[in-house]
Amino acid sequence: SYTHNCYGANIIGSTSGSGSLQVLCDNQYSCRNTDITCPTGTGSCHLQCNGDNTCDIGTTIAWTEGNSNLLYCSAATSSCGHFDYPPPLSPNTSLTVLCDGSYECENLIFTCPSNAACTIRCTGSNSCQNAVIWCPSNAPCNIQCTGSNSCLRTVAHWSENGQAIPACTTDCNLMEVPS
């Protein structure tokens, strides 16, 4: 496991086929404009944004196949706001995103893998407000809206072939479903 706290860096995980990468961003702007490439092979890839505006503008992450991928946006102000959020490179790699602070994942577009489980947890007030979630077409989509107005004007897109319909908890009546 590797912990890095920096601004404008290029962080590359292991290419040897094993190993994990944990990027910890604790201070304001600490991972702004940072490019992160997850390790190849087995292992996990976790990005944790703990401070105000830590992973907001210009932060990118390249997920890799087969890894456990996790993005954690803390209770700080806009720790993941305007984050360049790509889907996992593999349609078979699951994805979990945690947005537990106020306005943490506001206005973000989440593209889930098409064939693997996707969990978006919006626990802070207004944490996923105005977000767009593209659910998997062939796997479960779990959207948890437990904070006050956490999914206000959030739009969820999903396929109608059974298990891909999102399981939404609590504040879901504030979500918009395209017709």
Side-chain angles (χ1 to χ4, degrees):
S1 178
Y2 179 74
T3 302
H4 198 82
N5 194 352
C6 59
Y7 175 100
N10 185 15
I11 302 169
I12 300 174
S14 170
T15 58
S16 67
S18 65
S20 296
L21 177 65
Q22 178 182 358
V23 180
L24 178 61
C25 307
D26 277 336
N27 301 313
Q28 187 172 27
Y29 310 121
S30 60
C31 288
R32 182 178 266 187
N33 294 317
T34 299
D35 294 322
I36 301 161
T37 302
C38 292
T40 58
T42 60
S44 61
C45 189
H46 297 175
L47 172 58
Q48 187 168 342
C49 306
N50 292 332
D52 291 349
N53 305 99
T54 52
C55 300
D56 62 353
I57 297 171
T59 301
T60 62
I61 188 163
W63 305 113
T64 53
E65 183 173 356
N67 288 334
S68 166
N69 296 312
L70 173 69
L71 171 63
Y72 176 75
C73 303
S74 77
T77 302
S78 292
S79 65
C80 292
H82 306 289
F83 180 72
D84 293 334
Y85 194 83
L89 294 179
S90 168
N92 301 313
T93 300
S94 66
L95 182 64
T96 301
V97 180
L98 309 174
C99 304
D100 72 356
S102 296
Y103 301 96
E104 283 314 301
C105 298
E106 178 186 28
N107 298 314
L108 291 187
I109 298 172
F110 299 102
T111 304
C112 295
S114 59
N115 298 319
C118 186
T119 299
I120 310 291
R121 292 185 187 151
C122 306
T123 60
S125 65
N126 300 89
S127 56
C128 294
Q129 177 176 306
N130 297 315
V132 176
I133 302 168
W134 291 92
C135 288
S137 54
N138 298 305
C141 186
N142 185 4
I143 302 170
Q144 299 173 4
C145 306
T146 57
S148 173
N149 293 317
S150 60
C151 289
L152 180 65
R153 294 184 302 275
T154 295
V155 178
H157 297 272
W158 64 85
S159 153
E160 292 189 24
N161 54 346
Q163 66 176 341
I165 295 174
C168 189
T169 56
T170 310
D171 219 1
C172 304
N173 60 325
L174 299 174
M175 288 179 58
E176 296 178 11
V177 179
S179 52

